[in-house]
């Protein structure tokens, strides 16, 4: 999905209000299915989060202000990338 403009706006506002803000990206995948399906979903979610990380650094946000982690969710229907401000 097209997310870059909304991401840029949200990150810009966060940095405007908190110039020292750091961001946590969490790759969320479904915990449903076989072990192989769960592993594939987790791998795909991580790859999507890495794409979001590249978008953030392309926007000028230093990579040292972003951390990347992953999680599974029994309620997630599709892979998701959550962005949190600290």
């Amino acid at each position: 999905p097209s997310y870059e403009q909304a991401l840029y706006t949200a990150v810009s506002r966060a940095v405007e209000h908190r110039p020292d803000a750091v961001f946590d990206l969490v790759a969320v995948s479904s915990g449903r299915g076989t072990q192989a399906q769960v592993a594939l979903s987790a791998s795909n979610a991580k790859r999507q989060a890495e794409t979001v990380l590249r978008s953030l650094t392309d926007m000028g946000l230093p990579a040292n202000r972003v951390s990347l982690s992953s999680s599974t969710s029994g309620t997630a229907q599709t892979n998701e990338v959550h962005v949190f401000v600290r």
Side-chain angles (χ1 to χ4, degrees):
S2 177
Y3 63 88
E4 288 185 331
Q5 185 59 49
L7 179 65
Y8 179 81
T9 300
V11 169
S12 294
R13 287 183 182 164
V15 171
E16 182 179 306
H17 293 289
R18 278 174 101 185
D20 60 341
V22 293
F23 299 86
D24 294 328
L25 291 180
V26 181
V28 179
S29 60
S30 174
R32 298 178 184 178
T34 67
Q35 190 173 15
Q37 289 169 322
V38 170
L40 180 60
S41 181
S43 177
N44 287 337
K46 185 175 180 187
R47 197 169 21 258
Q48 291 166 337
E50 289 167 347
T51 299
V52 174
L53 175 60
R54 276 192 300 278
S55 293
L56 288 169
T57 57
D58 288 348
M59 292 175 191
L61 189 67
N64 65 350
R65 292 178 64 180
V66 184
S67 68
L68 183 61
S69 64
S70 61
S71 178
T72 57
S73 169
T75 60
Q77 299 295 314
T78 61
N79 294 335
E80 303 171 355
V81 178
H82 295 194
V83 181
F84 298 97
V85 180
R86 284 190 284 134

